Amino acid sequence: MASSTRESDAHDGEIRLWQEDDWWIATDVDTGVTTQGESRTAALENLDDAVALYDGERGRPPTDEELRAAGIEPAENTTGTRDPPDVLD
Protein backbone atom coordinates (compact mmCIF):
# COMPACT_ATOMS: atom_id res chain seq x y z
CA MET A 1 0.00 0.00 0.00
CA ALA A 2 1.39 3.39 -0.97
CA SER A 3 1.59 6.25 1.46
CA SER A 4 2.47 9.92 1.36
CA THR A 5 4.52 12.16 3.62
CA ARG A 6 2.98 15.28 2.12
CA GLU A 7 1.18 16.05 5.39
CA SER A 8 3.77 14.63 7.81
CA ASP A 9 7.40 14.98 8.83
CA ALA A 10 10.20 13.94 6.50
CA HIS A 11 11.83 10.58 7.07
CA ASP A 12 15.58 9.92 7.27
CA GLY A 13 16.88 9.17 3.80
CA GLU A 14 13.74 10.50 2.13
CA ILE A 15 13.92 11.22 -1.60
CA ARG A 16 11.27 13.08 -3.54
CA LEU A 17 10.83 12.44 -7.26
CA TRP A 18 8.48 14.23 -9.64
CA GLN A 19 8.13 15.10 -13.30
CA GLU A 20 8.16 18.61 -14.78
CA ASP A 21 7.54 18.73 -18.51
CA ASP A 22 10.04 16.27 -20.06
CA TRP A 23 12.37 16.12 -17.02
CA TRP A 24 12.34 14.10 -13.81
CA ILE A 25 13.44 16.00 -10.69
CA ALA A 26 14.92 14.20 -7.67
CA THR A 27 15.61 15.82 -4.28
CA ASP A 28 17.35 14.37 -1.24
CA VAL A 29 15.27 15.86 1.57
CA ASP A 30 18.04 15.60 4.23
CA THR A 31 20.65 17.54 2.24
CA GLY A 32 18.47 19.62 -0.06
CA VAL A 33 20.51 18.39 -3.04
CA THR A 34 18.39 18.36 -6.20
CA THR A 35 19.12 16.93 -9.65
CA GLN A 36 17.26 16.17 -12.83
CA GLY A 37 17.30 13.61 -15.62
CA GLU A 38 15.45 12.70 -18.77
CA SER A 39 14.16 9.55 -17.02
CA ARG A 40 13.39 8.53 -13.46
CA THR A 41 16.46 6.31 -13.45
CA ALA A 42 18.73 9.08 -14.75
CA ALA A 43 17.42 11.57 -12.17
CA LEU A 44 18.05 9.10 -9.32
CA GLU A 45 21.52 8.17 -10.62
CA ASN A 46 22.40 11.87 -10.85
CA LEU A 47 21.10 12.35 -7.31
CA ASP A 48 23.30 9.51 -6.02
CA ASP A 49 26.36 11.19 -7.59
CA ALA A 50 25.44 14.66 -6.34
CA VAL A 51 24.80 13.51 -2.76
CA ALA A 52 28.12 11.61 -2.75
CA LEU A 53 29.87 14.83 -3.82
CA TYR A 54 27.97 16.77 -1.18
CA ASP A 55 29.02 14.25 1.48
CA GLY A 56 32.66 14.37 0.33
CA GLU A 57 32.64 10.75 -0.78
CA ARG A 58 33.59 11.62 -4.37
CA GLY A 59 35.64 14.23 -6.07
CA ARG A 60 39.11 15.57 -5.44
CA PRO A 61 40.99 18.83 -5.78
CA PRO A 62 42.35 19.41 -9.29
CA THR A 63 46.03 18.75 -9.89
CA ASP A 64 48.33 21.59 -10.96
CA GLU A 65 48.50 19.93 -14.38
CA GLU A 66 44.70 19.98 -14.70
CA LEU A 67 44.59 23.63 -13.64
CA ARG A 68 47.19 24.55 -16.25
CA ALA A 69 45.21 22.66 -18.92
CA ALA A 70 42.23 24.87 -17.98
CA GLY A 71 44.37 28.00 -18.39
CA ILE A 72 44.99 28.59 -14.68
CA GLU A 73 48.50 29.02 -13.31
CA PRO A 74 48.36 27.55 -9.78
CA ALA A 75 51.20 29.64 -8.36
CA GLU A 76 49.54 32.88 -9.46
CA ASN A 77 46.06 32.07 -8.16
CA THR A 78 45.74 32.45 -4.42
CA THR A 79 43.06 33.70 -2.09
CA GLY A 80 45.50 36.05 -0.37
CA THR A 81 44.68 36.56 3.29
CA ARG A 82 41.04 35.54 2.87
CA ASP A 83 39.75 32.04 3.56
CA PRO A 84 38.89 30.10 0.41
CA PRO A 85 35.21 30.00 -0.48
CA ASP A 86 33.07 27.25 1.07
CA VAL A 87 32.83 25.45 -2.26
CA LEU A 88 36.53 24.57 -1.93
CA ASP A 89 36.11 22.93 1.49
Side-chain angles (χ1 to χ4, degrees):
M1 180 182 204
S3 65
S4 172
T5 60
R6 194 176 289 234
E7 300 294 326
S8 64
D9 294 333
H11 301 281
D12 289 339
E14 181 177 345
I15 294 172
R16 296 190 180 162
L17 180 68
W18 68 95
Q19 190 171 17
E20 288 185 12
D21 299 320
D22 294 333
W23 291 93
W24 284 91
I25 314 300
T27 296
D28 179 88
V29 175
D30 292 339
T31 63
V33 172
T34 300
T35 62
Q36 65 183 16
E38 292 182 346
S39 68
R40 293 166 58 133
T41 300
L44 292 169
E45 287 173 353
N46 291 340
L47 185 62
D48 284 342
D49 287 340
V51 170
L53 285 168
Y54 178 88
D55 288 340
E57 296 169 1
R58 291 198 183 132
R60 60 170 176 73
T63 65
D64 287 355
E65 202 171 275
E66 290 168 330
L67 290 172
R68 287 187 187 96
I72 300 168
E73 179 52 48
E76 295 175 7
N77 287 279
T78 63
T79 58
T81 59
R82 295 179 299 155
D83 289 333
D86 292 341
V87 72
L88 298 177
D89 287 341

